[in-house]
């Protein structure tokens, strides 16, 4: 089976009581654990920011969380400080069966550039290495689950489709931030790119 499961950012800070909590983020963990067992390739991603990361609103004097600024690579939402390297918030949800995973891709670790996608940083050009890994393992199709549906899951799905993978997003095992209509926008973008929204 040339299919990989990619589990996006199921970390404490994206779950209830986390720094960038996604409503119901913890509800998907059991279903993801059950799904992992059927895949020969299981990849986790882990948002992994340094304290001085440019996506944190509190690193921009006077900037409000969830406002948008221009970065050299384009518009960037400023987020509450989250998933700081080594913090509890950056750990995977304690119930996630990380033992079933074969690879963890950390992303967003360069201070000056954010990385939503599992494949490319937000300049859309700097690779994370995941494509090479999947190619080496003969993977042709990817299934995506996790947090957040309208940011890191969607960006990963769009990049995977662009790279030529068959892409399915299991919406039931995702939860969204839904900032200013981002969920509907990204669902439309994914459909237009040929992503199957299951
Ligand atoms: C994410 C915003 C900032 C995500 C990560 O995992 O969707 N969103 N960092
Ligand atoms: Zn982040």
């Amino acid at each position: 089976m040339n299919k990989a499961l990619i589990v996006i950012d199921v970390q404490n800070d994206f779950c209830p009581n986390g720094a960038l909590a996604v409503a119901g983020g913890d509800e998907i963990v059991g279903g993801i654990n059950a799904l992992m067992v059927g895949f020969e390739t299981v990849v986790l991603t882990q948002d992994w920011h340094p304290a001085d990361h440019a996506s944190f609103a509190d690193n921009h004097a006077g900037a409000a969380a969830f406002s948008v600024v221009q970065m050299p690579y384009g518009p960037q939402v400023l987020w509450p400080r989250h998933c700081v390297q080594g913090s509890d918030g950056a750990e995977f949800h304690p119930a996630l069966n990380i033992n079933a995973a074969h690879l963890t891709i950390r992303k967003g670790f360069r201070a000056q550039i954010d990385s939503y996608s599992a494949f490319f940083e937000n300049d859309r050009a700097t690779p994370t290495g995941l494509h090479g890994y999947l190619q080496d393992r003969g993977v042709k199709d990817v299934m995506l689950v996790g947090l957040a549906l309208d940011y890191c899951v969607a960006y990963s799905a769009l990049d995977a489709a662009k790279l030529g993978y068959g892409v399915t997003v299991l919406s039931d095992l995702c939860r969204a931030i839904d900032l200013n209509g981002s969920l509907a926008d990204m669902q439309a973008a994914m459909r237009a790119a040929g992503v199957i929204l299951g």
Side-chain angles (χ1 to χ4, degrees), residues 20-88:
L20 181 40
V22 181
D26 55 340
E27 296 167 3
I28 62 177
V29 176
I32 292 173
N33 288 343
L35 193 63
M36 282 175 167
V37 200
F39 284 80
E40 276 178 15
T41 301
V42 178
V43 176
L44 309 178
T45 67
Q46 189 173 28
D47 214 34
W48 194 250
H49 299 310
D52 61 347
H53 198 251
S55 81
F56 295 165
D58 62 8
N59 284 331
H60 299 255
F66 305 106
S67 63
V68 177
V69 293
Q70 286 299 321
M71 297 282 192
Y73 52 82
Q76 168 72 50
V77 178
L78 296 181
W79 302 105
R81 174 174 293 273
H82 65 279
C83 296
V84 174
Q85 295 171 4
S87 68
D88 287 344

Side-chain angles (χ1 to χ4, degrees), residues 50-137:
D52 61 347
H53 198 251
S55 81
F56 295 165
D58 62 8
N59 284 331
H60 299 255
F66 305 106
S67 63
V68 177
V69 293
Q70 286 299 321
M71 297 282 192
Y73 52 82
Q76 168 72 50
V77 178
L78 296 181
W79 302 105
R81 174 174 293 273
H82 65 279
C83 296
V84 174
Q85 295 171 4
S87 68
D88 287 344
E91 290 304 312
F92 293 107
H93 186 286
L96 184 70
N97 183 14
I98 58 173
N99 293 337
H102 306 120
L103 174 75
T104 297
I105 290 280
R106 287 177 170 165
K107 59 182 183 62
F109 49 74
R110 292 186 176 90
Q112 293 310 318
I113 179 165
D114 206 0
S115 186
Y116 295 151
S117 166
F119 292 94
F120 295 101
E121 302 193 23
N122 283 11
D123 61 1
R124 324 304 294 145
T126 306
T128 63
L130 179 57
H131 183 41
Y133 174 84
L134 295 178
Q135 279 183 311
D136 277 354
R137 295 186 58 145

Side-chain angles (χ1 to χ4, degrees), residues 150-185:
D150 45 346
Y151 284 92
C152 291
V153 175
Y155 276 69
S156 300
L158 292 172
D159 280 346
K162 202 181 295 176
L163 290 168
Y165 295 94
V167 188
T168 303
V169 170
L170 276 190
S171 304
D172 283 356
L173 293 180
C174 298
R175 292 293 183 272
I177 295 173
D178 203 10
L179 184 64
N180 301 320
S182 56
L183 177 57
D185 289 350

